[in-house]
Amino acid sequence: MTTLTDHPAVAPERVHRIREAALRIRHYALTQAEVQGQGYIGQALDIADVLAVLYTDQLNLRPAEPDWEGRDRCLLSIGHYAIALYAALAEAKFIPVEELDTYATDDSRLPMSGMAGYTPGMEISGGSLGHGLGIAVGKALGLRRKDNPAFVYNILSDGELDEGSTWEAVQTAAHFQLDNLIAVVDMNNQQADGPAQSMLGTEPVHDKFTINGWDVRRVDGHDIPAIVEALEDLRARRGKPKALICDTILGKGVAMLQSRDKLHFMQVAPQEWALAHQQLDEGFRS
């Protein structure tokens, strides 16, 4: 297990600030899901630490100018994780926290699957998996040809590694040496039909990216100092596209949900929401 002492360059107060942001992101995700009584809650809880690092520490953004040309682009390939990204966008002040209560309701700017043009800060529309990395490659190539120094980050899932289009994008990025591209892979080993590795074994993921010409780091996706260090290291590297592989736990922070058999899409009983929020706070204090 990685500890703070393994990452002395990441100051404890910086880590604490990001941890607090991750806690709020998790609470915001639960608040949205309670509106519908169900949702992709496990994924939102598992990716919260990564999103907190990105949206409160790493990305070059201007929330008051969401379409600013100099911004880093963060593309959510896995559209059903939108509940998590909305929470991160609220934390980063792209949208008001109060708007989260409209999640997936009529005329809301927060549809269940993310859609570009609806929500400030949402760069692409989600839906069918396997397209995000290809779009990210196109954006990264376009930015480079415009001499725009912005970076493109693409959050994708281990399930998307089953898609041939993902690996076409991997090879294309390497061919053009897109060192302004960072893929962030959520390895939670879960798909709609069961464990990802039982559907189609994709390991060794690190080696597959490396052999295709990428710089790669793999970390515990809940170890904030490790995520910070890895992203900063990758961003500084030149000549190759970069990948950060994050091993995560579905439902992270809410023991009641982590222990459930079916975690891809969850229904939560009305009396369980308060307990879920309570378990988040207890875990943060422990």
Side-chain angles (χ1 to χ4, degrees):
M1 178 63 69
T2 309
T3 66
L4 280 173
T5 56
D6 297 309
H7 306 278
V10 186
E13 57 271 19
R14 183 181 179 192
V15 174
H16 184 72
R17 174 180 56 78
I18 298 170
R19 284 190 70 226
E20 287 184 324
L23 175 65
R24 287 190 293 271
I25 288 170
R26 288 187 167 97
H27 277 300
Y28 294 158
L30 289 176
T31 296
Q32 293 172 85
E34 189 173 0
V35 174
Q36 299 294 330
Q38 60 187 357
Y40 296 101
I41 309 161
Q43 294 88 337
L45 295 171
D46 89 50
I47 201 66
D49 296 306
V50 173
L51 289 174
V53 172
L54 286 169
Y55 278 88
T56 70
D57 191 76
Q58 293 291 309
L59 295 176
N60 186 18
L61 300 169
R62 292 180 182 173
E65 301 176 58
D67 297 323
W68 170 51
E69 279 301 309
R71 74 191 185 280
D72 289 335
R73 277 72 166 167
C74 187
L75 281 56
L76 183 70
S77 183
I78 24 183
H80 58 289
Y81 281 46
I83 190 173
L85 187 56
Y86 299 151
L89 291 172
E91 176 66 19
K93 304 191 183 321
F94 277 85
I95 58 175
V97 171
E98 296 76 19
E99 191 170 353
L100 299 176
D101 291 332
T102 72
Y103 170 69
T105 59
D106 290 347
D107 300 321
S108 172
R109 294 196 300 174
L110 313 178
M112 187 169 285
S113 188
M115 295 180 67
Y118 264 62
T119 315
M122 183 69 70
E123 295 283 352
I124 61 172
S125 297
S128 298
L129 300 182
H131 301 304
L133 189 58
I135 296 171
V137 167
K139 285 182 178 289
L141 185 58
L143 288 170
R144 189 173 72 182
R145 288 182 173 175
K146 292 180 178 180
D147 293 321
N148 187 324
F151 272 69
V152 178
Y153 294 75
N154 177 224
I155 303 173
L156 65 156
S157 66
D158 50 359
E160 289 186 275
L161 301 182
D162 294 355
E163 302 283 356
S165 54
T166 297
W167 295 104
E168 291 175 11
V170 166
Q171 293 178 73
T172 303
H175 173 78
F176 287 106
Q177 299 178 322
L178 296 178
D179 55 11
N180 59 342
L181 172 64
I182 300 177
V184 180
V185 186
D186 182 22
M187 297 289 292
N188 61 25
N189 193 32
Q190 182 65 48
Q191 295 185 27
D193 295 325
Q197 291 305 310
S198 68
M199 298 298 105
L200 182 64
T202 53
E203 295 285 13
V205 174
H206 185 289
D207 294 347
K208 289 180 179 179
F209 273 95
T210 300
I211 203 168
N212 276 290
W214 286 54
D215 273 328
V216 188
R217 292 283 298 273
R218 188 163 188 164
V219 299
D220 176 344
H222 305 299
D223 184 336
I224 285 172
I227 299 167
V228 170
E229 181 189 74
L231 283 172
E232 291 186 342
D233 174 57
L234 289 172
R235 185 157 178 147
R237 291 175 178 268
R238 293 291 179 262
K240 295 181 180 180
K242 284 81 74 118
L244 177 63
I245 302 166
C246 299
D247 293 296
T248 61
I249 299 170
L250 278 157
K252 178 68 174 177
V254 181
M256 171 185 69
L257 301 181
Q258 282 181 221
S259 61
R260 295 195 173 175
D261 292 332
K262 295 185 181 294
L263 288 172
H264 181 72
F265 186 88
M266 276 191 266
Q267 289 187 329
V268 179
Q271 70 275 12
E272 292 180 315
W273 293 104
L275 177 58
H277 284 287
Q278 178 184 330
Q279 290 185 351
L280 278 179
D281 290 331
E282 289 173 348
F284 181 79
R285 291 192 297 267
S286 63

